[in-house]
Amino acid sequence: MNSHNTFGERFTFTSFGESHGIAVGGVLDGVPAGLKIDMNLIRDELNRRSGKGQTATSPRARIEADEVEWLSGVKDGISLGTPIAFILRNTQQKSEDYEVLKHMLRPGHADFTYLQKYGIRDYRGGGRASARETASRVAAGAIAKQLLIERGITIEARLTQVGVETDPERMKRLLEEVTKDGDSIGGIVTCTINGLPAGVGEPIFDKLQSLLAHAILSINGCKGFEYGTGFGEMHLRGSEIYHPEQVPCPRSGGIEGGISNGLPVVFRCAFKPAATIRQLYGGRHDACIAVRAVPVVEAMAALTLCDLMNENQHQNQDESPDENEK
């Protein structure tokens, strides 16, 4: 049984670190030997998560200069087949900004529940519950993405809604307004997986959509998950959705019976307004956490698929007949 800080079964990722500790990091196990790791891709993904180089369309006060320090499993940019361990040092902590929270429990955050569960909490920036933890997910996910690209599978997520706005210019103006007010607002991220072959996923408890939902809902601030037409189907009739000549079904989001059908897999996830806002607590806080969640969503989808496809590969190997029995 894996710990609650480890994701996956055969392709596993273990996350560690707190927002205002020395570093956050991870251990990625299951990467085959000989993968030429694109360090520029990893750096680009981390920059997307941090908001570096972005404008008011994704305002962010704390921007870390994230550089991955490889501790094991990589030599000269090539994977060794052993566990890949890495850290990203925290360099932009301002713990004094959070002194006011030392004796205060914030609603909608993990303050109360962590205190009830562990009897102690790190109030500096949320500690383990901070979105800072997702940096290690993005680094690990960037490696998983490279493995998937070798199989012709790509993952692309984008911000498709902020508050009630879906038009990019209106979204931008709303973000600027919310930032100016020191407030926060929610958003929706849509993710598309292209190139996934039919047959990935299991029919009952490990349905593809179930595993994706598990991964995506583990992201800080994620409040909802739907795939295909999702809740939008509830006001439709079956005759409007299902047509005998359309197999596989184009409205299914690329998944039928819990298994990929070969069409693009499409899902959406909703992120709440940040619980900690500048107008109440001061400090540095995101106006819309959905903005920086985009590469995190891609990373968790990539880790899910690598784990599933490793499992399928092992199943195929286990089920292949012995050469002597052919």
Side-chain angles (χ1 to χ4, degrees):
M1 177 69 71
N2 285 327
S3 77
H4 54 277
N5 293 299
T6 297
F7 179 84
E9 295 294 331
R10 293 187 182 275
F11 187 93
T12 64
F13 167 64
T14 301
S15 162
F16 62 85
E18 292 84 32
S19 175
H20 286 236
I22 294 174
V24 295
V27 179
L28 190 60
D29 201 358
V31 178
L35 175 68
K36 189 178 187 308
I37 298 175
D38 187 341
M39 300 300 180
N40 289 328
L41 173 62
I42 296 174
R43 188 174 296 111
D44 289 345
E45 295 292 276
L46 288 168
N47 286 342
R48 290 174 67 204
R49 193 209 70 89
S50 73
K52 186 181 296 183
Q54 296 177 353
T55 63
T57 56
S58 57
R60 172 61 177 163
R62 175 180 175 178
I63 298 180
E64 296 277 1
D66 283 326
E67 289 292 336
V68 180
E69 295 182 34
W70 304 101
L71 306 182
S72 69
V74 178
K75 185 179 188 302
D76 300 326
I78 307 295
S79 64
L80 300 175
T82 54
I84 296 176
F86 61 89
I87 61 171
L88 299 103
R89 295 188 182 273
N90 297 323
T91 60
Q92 294 292 318
Q93 310 102 310
K94 288 189 177 181
S95 300
E96 63 275 11
D97 288 349
Y98 298 91
E99 279 298 315
V100 67
L101 302 177
K102 188 172 184 178
H103 303 292
M104 179 187 299
L105 299 177
R106 296 164 293 177
H109 214 291
D111 296 352
F112 175 76
T113 51
Y114 270 47
L115 190 59
Q116 295 301 305
K117 182 175 180 65
Y118 301 110
I120 189 172
R121 69 184 177 97
D122 186 348
Y123 61 88
R124 303 166 302 168
R128 183 75 174 140
S130 169
R132 175 64 183 151
E133 177 268 335
T134 62
S136 57
R137 303 192 194 201
V138 170
I143 296 176
K145 275 181 157 185
Q146 293 177 52
L147 285 170
L148 294 172
I149 288 172
E150 289 190 342
R151 301 185 183 191
I153 301 167
T154 59
I155 302 172
E156 182 179 1
R158 57 193 178 92
L159 183 71
T160 52
Q161 186 169 334
V162 173
V164 299
E165 303 292 353
T166 56
D167 176 77
E169 285 302 316
R170 290 179 178 272
M171 288 162 56
K172 178 180 177 180
R173 287 197 292 270
L174 181 54
L175 278 169
E176 291 171 344
E177 177 186 333
V178 171
T179 303
K180 182 178 178 181
D181 293 341
D183 211 336
S184 65
I185 196 164
I188 293 177
V189 174
T190 299
C191 185
T192 303
I193 303 169
N194 285 300
L196 187 66
V200 177
E202 301 299 328
I204 304 296
F205 297 114
D206 284 343
K207 289 176 164 57
L208 176 56
Q209 72 269 27
S210 302
L211 297 176
L212 285 170
H214 168 66
I216 301 304
L217 288 169
S218 75
I219 302 171
N220 311 58
C222 187
K223 301 288 279 188
F225 175 94
E226 65 175 8
Y227 69 102
T229 48
F231 287 101
E233 280 193 4
M234 301 310 105
H235 66 277
L236 299 175
R237 298 189 180 192
S239 58
E240 298 177 88
I241 303 171
Y242 306 111
H243 305 280
E245 71 278 6
Q246 294 183 334
V247 177
C249 179
R251 286 179 174 265
S252 65
I255 305 170
E256 295 181 79
I259 300 170
S260 61
N261 63 14
L263 295 179
V265 172
V266 181
F267 65 83
R268 286 168 297 283
C269 39
F271 289 86
K272 69 177 185 178
T276 308
I277 58 177
R278 181 163 46 83
Q279 67 177 230
L280 294 180
Y281 302 103
R284 302 165 297 166
H285 309 290
D286 287 310
C288 181
I289 57 179
V291 175
R292 295 198 307 134
V294 171
V296 187
V297 169
E298 293 178 359
M300 293 309 299
L303 291 169
T304 301
L305 293 181
C306 280
D307 189 38
L308 258 178
M309 298 186 82
N310 268 18
E311 182 177 348
N312 283 356
Q313 182 178 1
H314 279 270
Q315 284 180 347
N316 292 337
Q317 291 172 350
D318 292 342
E319 293 168 3
S320 60
D322 186 272
E323 289 294 328
N324 295 327
E325 297 177 356
K326 290 183 179 179

